[in-house]
Amino acid sequence: MSAFTERIDADLIAARRRRDDLAVRTLGLLKSELVTAAKEPGAGVLDEEAAMRVVRRELKRRQEAAEAFAAAGREESARSERKEGELLSAYLPAEMDEAELEREVRAVVTQLGATSPRDMGSVMKAARERLAGKAEQGRIAAIARRLLAG
């Protein structure tokens, strides 16, 4: 069991003790998703990076659900999903700001000598390795695309 999953377990126990239904429900679902991810073929014990991917996936689900509920006029449900998202966000490291992220992606582009959109795959692979857990892939791709477009 990784330090991250131990932290989730400890926080879940603390939430149960203080009778925080929202935290118990959210952390319980997160723990379930982490266990499921660990049972996938070849996964074994989840490392920190794999666990963060699970948290990001769950956060994205909450954000999409909140938007859907808000669009349907179900503001109370949307508010609940947003609160769950805020709770999950606390488990993610702070993301890089836009200027810092652009500097890092620019460094990858320069290092690889990438000059055109055809180099996008190699830039993304190197950038993912360099920026793992520090920024969403969508943000990295948008910056890389802009830099490679000219």
Side-chain angles (χ1 to χ4, degrees), residues 99-118:
E100 187 179 2
L101 182 57
E102 183 167 342
R103 269 194 309 277
E104 292 292 326
V105 174
R106 190 177 298 277
V108 169
V109 168
T110 304
Q111 178 185 6
L112 295 174
T115 57
S116 73
R118 288 181 302 198

Side-chain angles (χ1 to χ4, degrees), residues 33-100:
E33 289 297 320
L34 290 168
V35 168
T36 300
K39 289 181 179 179
E40 290 177 1
V45 175
L46 289 182
D47 62 356
E48 186 110 0
E49 186 178 330
M52 290 300 147
R53 281 194 303 270
V54 172
V55 175
R56 279 191 194 89
R57 183 182 68 216
E58 289 303 306
L59 177 59
K60 185 175 180 180
R61 285 180 181 168
R62 298 311 186 288
Q63 291 167 340
E64 290 171 352
E67 290 172 11
F69 282 133
R74 297 181 56 195
E75 211 39 57
E76 187 175 319
S77 296
R79 204 172 312 117
S80 175
E81 292 291 334
R82 284 188 205 105
K83 286 180 183 177
E84 287 185 23
E86 289 171 10
L87 191 103
L88 291 172
S89 294
Y91 291 95
L92 295 173
E95 288 205 356
M96 301 173 96
D97 65 17
E98 207 64 24
E100 187 179 2

Side-chain angles (χ1 to χ4, degrees), residues 49 53 101 104-105 108 112 120-138 140-141:
E49 186 178 330
R53 281 194 303 270
L101 182 57
E104 292 292 326
V105 174
V108 169
L112 295 174
M120 184 72 169
S122 59
V123 169
M124 283 302 295
K125 181 179 179 187
R128 262 196 310 268
E129 291 171 6
R130 183 174 182 153
L131 301 170
K134 297 178 184 173
E136 289 181 359
Q137 287 186 32
I140 296 169

